[in-house]
Amino acid sequence: LMDSRFFREDNPYNMFMNTVGDLAMLSVAWAVCSLPIVTIGASTAAACEVARSMQEGRDNGIFRDFWKAFKRRFGTTMALTAIIACVWALAAFDLWFLSRQSGNTVSVVYGITVAVFAILGIALAFVLPLTGRSKLSVVEQIKQSARLAVLKPIVAIAVFVLDILPIALLATVPGAIVWVPLLWAILGVGASAWLQMRMIRKAFALE
């Protein structure tokens, strides 16, 4: 009897392992479609959309759903990616420039700069996760994200933290360059997208 329960598809262990397998496939799809670098935003939006479909029990195959989601709003996600990339490029330049300065006020200015760009990142947290099923324009998508971040700041912060987690690990953990990219490519992206959409769906009662 125990053996028969173990091999049932609705067994909790089998369901968990199936989910892990789906998230691994989702991570691989994201990694492959992100290889051109400029398509990272489109891949991220698609990963979030597929993760949402998984939670709703409406997925029709991870790779098939991912490719459809990847193509659906490609122009919009590319434009959003360019805007987000500009924000982070400016942040990186400002922090690099400040790190090379000296003086009593540099540390204060550095801290303020970090805070400003963190707030911008939090305001943009919902842009890519909600783009896939939206019909909003690029500007309206950004405005919506900022409004939702004000309504649910804790969720926005959590999504932002998941977004920057691999970068933070690479920057702070010795030897992380060896395992972080591989981990994110085989499971991390899928798990992050799944957690983000879980929080977003619960916070905003999305069905």
Side-chain angles (χ1 to χ4, degrees), residues 126-147:
F126 298 120
V127 169
L128 293 176
L130 296 179
T131 295
R133 297 190 187 182
S134 173
K135 295 182 180 179
L136 297 176
S137 66
V138 170
V139 174
E140 289 302 317
Q141 201 73 44
I142 293 172
K143 288 181 179 178
Q144 174 186 256
S145 179
R147 288 195 298 268

Side-chain angles (χ1 to χ4, degrees), residues 9 23 33-34 44 52 56 65 72 75-76 89 96 98 104 107 136-137 152 154 159 171 194-195 202 207:
E9 288 188 8
L23 295 180
C33 289
S34 295
T44 301
R52 181 175 174 177
E56 295 170 343
D65 285 353
R72 184 171 296 127
T76 301
W96 170 83
L98 289 171
N104 296 329
S107 59
L136 297 176
S137 66
K152 300 289 183 179
I154 301 302
V159 171
W194 195 93
L195 287 171
K202 184 175 181 180
E207 298 298 338

Side-chain angles (χ1 to χ4, degrees), residues 119-202:
I119 291 171
L120 284 174
I122 292 167
L124 295 170
F126 298 120
V127 169
L128 293 176
L130 296 179
T131 295
R133 297 190 187 182
S134 173
K135 295 182 180 179
L136 297 176
S137 66
V138 170
V139 174
E140 289 302 317
Q141 201 73 44
I142 293 172
K143 288 181 179 178
Q144 174 186 256
S145 179
R147 288 195 298 268
L148 295 178
V150 171
L151 289 174
K152 300 289 183 179
I154 301 302
V155 178
I157 291 170
V159 171
F160 174 66
V161 169
L162 285 171
D163 284 336
I164 66 170
L165 181 58
I167 298 172
L169 290 174
L170 288 172
T172 59
V173 178
I177 189 64
V178 176
W179 57 271
V180 167
L182 181 62
L183 176 61
W184 248 251
I186 62 174
L187 186 59
V189 171
S192 176
W194 195 93
L195 287 171
Q196 289 183 33
M197 293 314 302
R198 184 74 171 181
M199 290 186 292
I200 291 171
R201 290 180 65 241
K202 184 175 181 180

Side-chain angles (χ1 to χ4, degrees), residues 81-100:
T81 301
I83 293 170
I84 294 171
C86 286
V87 170
W88 291 119
L90 180 60
F93 174 79
D94 285 350
L95 295 177
W96 170 83
F97 179 79
L98 289 171
S99 68
R100 299 176 66 85

